């Protein structure tokens, strides 16, 4: 039962280095607040004294957003531009931290992990950047391939629009299973890269692929299990949000706190996944 | 008598009985007294050739001169010629159409047309040489959508005149509104149709004249009331539905003939498709027929429910739907070119099998198109010249009904409590337009050459009517609509007729608007200005006692020693930002709980309400009862000194969480 052992190890590693999870969580919190505050200020300055503001407590008020967009819509452009910049920044920071996380998990020295975390993050940063770039291309190619299959399946004389939904229903699971393979390959490549410390990226990508091939059932099973957890978290988050009746500030605060728990959980899951990947790699 | 003979006898008797029943049913459906003047009546017999995509027909037109004029000519709409070449007025106006025409069709020269090849009057005169194409709207010589017939014998005042013709047409492929795709045919605006004769004094006519416009991209049709008796011969496996009701159905070898009778209607539409499923329900004696594709049958209850709600609403609001049948055609997805079109007693309302129940376009379209039976069909306004008088009224009622019968909204989703009401959706679509001042509602449809037609004739008109209802009240509005309908049903009213009714009814309910409502209607119908009122500021300043010299310079007034009660001058300053003037109710709330509703005529650029006393203003709200959706920015209609930021925090936390969600999702790519 090496899958469950790996998973347990992933949990243990994540718990052991929970400060890294908190750091990553704080990163999302601070950066998202940097984007959300200008939006809040924009609303406050332009329409903050309108009685219509209270209608926003219940959720989306189309009339408000429509009139706001028509009158003050230009103010939203810098907010969205800033969002894109901050998201790009987060992406780069996460690339940086990924090298540190995997190095910490592989070496597993709790007493000196902080120094290790930052140093290795910097050490592997550019290679992880390249890796993320190559895998983005692979992901896009895969998406393009499945889109082509989808397009060909609905092209020509379609009997009815049900063909579109049927094709989507049939193709989506296959895409999902294939995409999981790529994500998995990417994670193992990172582990191989940190372990071997090779400059040439492909020297990590190909051994990772070889490793996946020889341990396919185990590594794929583990990955699907992790993905299942991910879906369960998203679903739970959605269902719980629906249960809250937004009528007061305390309800908003409660919903926000719950959503933060889920953000933290999803980040933890990411690290649990990396931890379990490291463990499976170590079992080879 | 052998068993065979007995069987034959029984079969014959059964056949006679069925024929009798059918004929009795058809007879029952005929109106005992005509609802309209029945000015233009048609007997048409046609054959649909599904191989060549052509229609071959013979047609007899019986025209009753509605005036004391002697008429020497007749114009006919030849709509299919709009698809005859790429230089027609229709193609020129709808530049995007060419991009929808397949390259293969262009190379093969697949264009459509309609032509009359034989025409004689009742005296037997051959009139084929008396036909010429004219272009009354733009003089385009490549446009052949209006055919002008010079008569050899005139139509004398109030006389009946018959013309027989034979014509042929090539059906457009996936045209706009009409045409075919694969084996689906939606046959509308498909035959040589007489224009409308307007005697002096009717609509805008100073003297007797024909009203027959070319076919434009933005506009649909206008027609004269009459009786249509139409026989359609189609391949035997085709299912047919049409305006009116079925009077005869006959097998003819490999073909089948359907004869429909439609009385007191302004047009005739029909459709044919072998794949249609026919579902019939009944509502208070009205046969509601739904022609739907098998894959869309799952949505049949949505159509029927919406149709019955609409019929019920109008029975209460105006008058019961008078026709014996109502046909809803839900086209296949490849027939969406014909989607959402209204014709007498028949309309299309598309649906999709993948349409989730929280997107209510099926219901919205059903209600909208069915409402057209009242506004455009029974009240036959000129859609080409005054589109707002049918689309605007229809959009107004569609939104009203949707908000009554589907209070969850046209689109609703539990997450973030999204609940989009029909009324606010209409308003939102109008104000989100590129240019809401692009033209007045009173403009002809084809004058909107640079866009804005839909936004103005649907959106602005619907919001204008909602604002009118807000100003005069729901009861008064219902009285206006009822009076307008009773006075003009089965006739051709124009905007002035509606304005006259408003000006007649409103003074019976209110005296605060003056002698008439022209001050409002003129701005809305003929103007392009926007309406926007706002609260500029609210202030409460302490009143100071008199100090210093007043009557002389010897004895200054000094501060009094007794501690006086603190008094305030509380002031609310209001702005009129737009040029559109509407009187406003203003709600003023004080810190001691007092609430005052003030009235502002809305004319000046700025206005204030000032109070002196021991109370302070807390909030001010213009139009607190949301009577005036025509105001383009409702957010600035109110101002409070005690803002409740909870709503902003809701947006802030939701937005922050979404960004975090995006970040975590992005992390999977690393």
């Amino acid at each position: 039962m090496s899958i469950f052992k790996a998973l347990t190890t992933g949990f243990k590693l994540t718990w052991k280095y929970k400060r890294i999870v908190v750091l990553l969580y704080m990163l999302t919190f601070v950066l998202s607040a940097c984007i959300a505050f200008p939006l809040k200020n924009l609303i406050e300055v332009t329409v903050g004294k309108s009685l219509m503001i209270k209608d926003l407590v219940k959720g989306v008020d189309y009339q408000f957003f429509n009139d706001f967009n028509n009158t003050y819509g230009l103010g939203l452009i810098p907010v969205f531009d800033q969002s894109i910049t901050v998201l790009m920044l987060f992406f780069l920071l996460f690339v940086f931290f990924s090298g540190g996380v995997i190095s910490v998990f592989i070496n597993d020295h709790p007493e000196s992990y902080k120094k290790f975390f930052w140093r290795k993050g910097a050490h592997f940063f550019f290679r992880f950047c390249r890796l993320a770039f190559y895998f983005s291309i692979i992901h896009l190619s895969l998406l393009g391939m499945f889109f082509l299959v989808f397009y060909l399946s609905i092209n020509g004389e379609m009997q009815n629009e049900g063909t579109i939904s049927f094709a989507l229903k049939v193709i989506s699971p296959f895409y999902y299973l294939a995409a999981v393979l790529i994500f998995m390959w990417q994670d193992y490549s990172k582990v191989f890269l940190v372990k071997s410390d090779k400059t040439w990226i492909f020297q990590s990508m190909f051994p990772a692929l070889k490793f996946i091939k020889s341990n396919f059932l185990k590594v794929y099973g583990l990955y699907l299990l992790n993905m299942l957890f991910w879906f369960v978290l998203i679903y739970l988050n959605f269902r719980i949000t629906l249960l809250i009746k937004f009528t007061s500030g305390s309800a908003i605060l409660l919903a926000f706190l719950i959503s933060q728990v889920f953000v933290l959980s999803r980040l933890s899951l990411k690290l649990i996944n990396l931890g379990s990947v490291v463990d499976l790699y170590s079992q080879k | 008598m052998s068993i065979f003979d007995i069987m034959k006898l029984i079969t014959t008797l059964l056949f006679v009985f069925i024929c009798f029943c059918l004929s009795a049913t058809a007879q029952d459906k005929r109106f005992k007294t005509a609802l309209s003047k029945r000015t233009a009546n048609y007997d048409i017999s046609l054959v649909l050739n599904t191989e060549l995509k052509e229609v071959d027909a013979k047609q007899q037109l019986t025209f009753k001169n509605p005036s004391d004029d002697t008429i020497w000519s007749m114009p006919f709409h030849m709509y299919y010629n709009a698809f005859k070449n790429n230089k027609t007025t229709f193609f020129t106006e709808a530049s995007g159409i060419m991009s929808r025409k397949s390259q293969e069709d262009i190379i093969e020269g697949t264009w459509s047309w309609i032509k009359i090849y034989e025409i004689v009057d009742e005296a037997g005169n051959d009139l084929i040489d008396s036909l010429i194409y004219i272009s009354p709207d733009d003089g385009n010589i490549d446009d052949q959508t209006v055919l002008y017939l010079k008569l050899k014998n005139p139509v004398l005042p109030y006389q009946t005149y018959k013309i027989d013709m034979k014509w042929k047409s090539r059906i457009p492929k996936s045209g706009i509104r009409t045409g075919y795709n694969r084996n689906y045919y939606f046959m509308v605006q498909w035959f040589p149709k007489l224009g409308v004769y307007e005697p002096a004094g009717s609509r805008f006519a100073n003297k007797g004249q024909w009203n027959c416009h070319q076919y434009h991209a933005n506009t649909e049709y206008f027609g004269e009331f009459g009786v249509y008796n139409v026989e359609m011969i189609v391949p035997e496996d085709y299912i047919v539905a049409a305006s009116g009701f079925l009077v005869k159905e006959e097998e003819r070898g490999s073909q089948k003939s359907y004869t429909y009778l439609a009385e007191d209607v302004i047009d005739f539409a029909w459709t044919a498709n072998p794949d249609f499923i026919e579902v019939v329900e009944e509502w208070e004696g009205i046969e509601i027929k739904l022609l739907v594709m098998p894959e869309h049958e799952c949505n049949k209850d949505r159509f029927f429910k919406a149709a019955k709600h609409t019929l019920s609403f109008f029975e209460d609001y105006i008058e019961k739907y008078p026709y014996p049948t109502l046909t809803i055609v839900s086209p296949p997805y490849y027939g969406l070119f014909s989607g959402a079109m209204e014709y007498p007693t028949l309309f299309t309302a598309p649906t999709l099998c993948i349409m989730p129940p929280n997107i209510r376009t099926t219901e919205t379209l059903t209600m909208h198109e069915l409402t057209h039976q009242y506004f455009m069909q029974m009240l036959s306004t000129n859609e080409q010249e005054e589109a707002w008088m049918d689309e605007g009224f229809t959009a107004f009622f569609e939104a009203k009904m949707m908000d009554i019968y589907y209070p969850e909204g046209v689109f609703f989703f539990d997450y973030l409590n999204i609940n989009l009401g029909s009324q606010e959706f209409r308003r939102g679509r109008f104000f989100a337009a590129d240019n809401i001042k692009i033209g007045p509602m009173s403009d002809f449809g084809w004058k909107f050459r640079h866009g804005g037609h839909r936004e103005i004739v649907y959106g602005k008109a619907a919001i204008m009517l909602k604002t009118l209802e807000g100003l005069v009240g729901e009861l008064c509005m219902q009285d206006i609509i009822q009076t307008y309908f009773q006075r003009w049903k089965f006739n051709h009213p124009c905007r002035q007729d509606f304005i006259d009714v408003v000006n007649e009814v409103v003074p019976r309910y209110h005296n605060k608007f003056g002698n008439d409502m022209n001050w409002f209607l003129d701005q809305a119908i003929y103007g392009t200005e926007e309406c926007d009122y706002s609260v500029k500021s609210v202030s409460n300043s302490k009143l100071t006692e008199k100090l210093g010299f007043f009557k002389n310079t010897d004895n200054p007034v000094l501060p009094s020693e007794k501690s006086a009660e603190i008094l305030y001058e509380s002031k609310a300053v209001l702005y009129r930002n737009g040029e559109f003037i509407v009187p406003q109710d203003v709600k003023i709330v004080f810190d001691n709980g007092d609430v005052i509703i003030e009235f502002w005529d809305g004319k000046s650029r700025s206005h204030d309400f000032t109070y002196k006393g021991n109370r302070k203003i807390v909030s001010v709200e213009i139009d607190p009862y949301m009577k005036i959706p025509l105001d383009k920015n409702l957010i600035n209609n109110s101002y409070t000194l005690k803002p409740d930021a909870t709503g902003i925090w809701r947006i802030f936390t939701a937005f922050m969480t979404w960004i975090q969600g995006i970040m975590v999702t992005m992390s999977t790519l690393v």
Side-chain angles (χ1 to χ4, degrees), chain A residues 28 49-51 57-58 60 62-63 66-67 70 90 158 160-161 165 183 186 190 260 266 270, chain B residues 182 295-296 333 353 416-417 420 427-428 626 634-635 638-640 650 660 663 665 667 669-670:
Chain A
T28 66
K49 295 206 166 170
S50 170
L51 289 170
V57 174
K58 67 180 189 340
V60 170
Y62 174 77
Q63 204 139 267
N66 197 63
D67 287 5
N70 290 339
F90 172 80
M158 244 197 316
N160 60 61
E161 75 281 2
S165 64
F183 283 123
Q186 188 174 1
K190 282 184 285 192
Q260 294 310 297
R266 284 174 63 188
K270 171 80 185 164
Chain B
R182 301 190 201 173
E295 66 272 16
H296 297 156
Y333 90 94
C353 59
L416 276 176
N417 202 18
L420 178 52
R427 181 182 170 278
M626 301 279 279
L634 298 176
I635 305 174
S638 57
Y639 192 104
T640 175
R650 170 89 160 109
Q660 284 178 295
M663 285 175 176
T665 307
S667 71
L669 290 171
V670 177

Side-chain angles (χ1 to χ4, degrees), chain B residues 488-507:
Chain B
W488 290 101
K489 63 182 176 182
F490 302 103
N491 220 317
H492 302 297
C494 67
R495 57 179 175 262
Q496 193 54 49
D497 301 317
F498 175 69
I499 293 168
D500 290 345
V501 171
V502 173
N503 289 336
E504 175 189 319
V505 175
V506 173

Side-chain angles (χ1 to χ4, degrees), chain B residues 315-384:
Chain B
E315 184 177 15
D316 293 341
Y317 199 92
I318 300 180
E319 184 177 290
K320 193 183 175 191
Y321 176 81
Y323 299 100
T325 58
L326 174 69
T327 302
I328 307 169
V329 179
S330 179
Y333 90 94
Y334 50 82
L336 287 179
F337 64 86
S338 66
M341 277 304 300
E342 65 282 2
Y343 291 90
T345 78
L346 180 148
F347 63 86
T348 56
T351 192
L352 295 172
C353 59
I354 49 179
M355 188 72 75
N358 54 341
I359 300 176
R360 296 204 186 277
T361 49
T362 305
E363 288 83 353
T364 306
L365 288 170
T366 304
M367 286 191 153
H368 182 96
E369 306 310 335
L370 179 44
T371 303
H372 274 302
Q373 299 302 322
Y374 286 81
F375 298 96
M376 178 283 288
Q377 158 53 25
M378 284 181 255
L379 280 170
S380 176
T381 45
N382 187 332
E383 194 276 342
Q384 292 165 311

Side-chain angles (χ1 to χ4, degrees), chain B residues 19-70:
Chain B
C19 286
F20 173 77
C21 287
L22 273 175
S23 127
T25 314
Q27 198 65 42
D28 288 343
K29 287 177 178 170
R30 288 172 198 260
F31 292 127
K32 288 184 177 65
T33 49
L35 303 179
S36 69
K37 289 177 191 156
R38 298 186 175 178
T39 306
N41 306 286
Y42 298 82
D43 280 284
I44 304 174
S45 177
L46 68 95
V47 179
L48 171 69
N49 185 330
T50 54
E51 294 298 315
L52 297 173
K53 313 295 181 195
E54 286 181 0
V55 168
D56 206 341
K58 58 181 179 180
Q59 169 177 322
Q60 183 178 67
L61 164 70
T62 307
F63 172 66
K64 287 181 196 165
N65 184 346
S67 68
D68 51 11
D69 302 330
T70 299

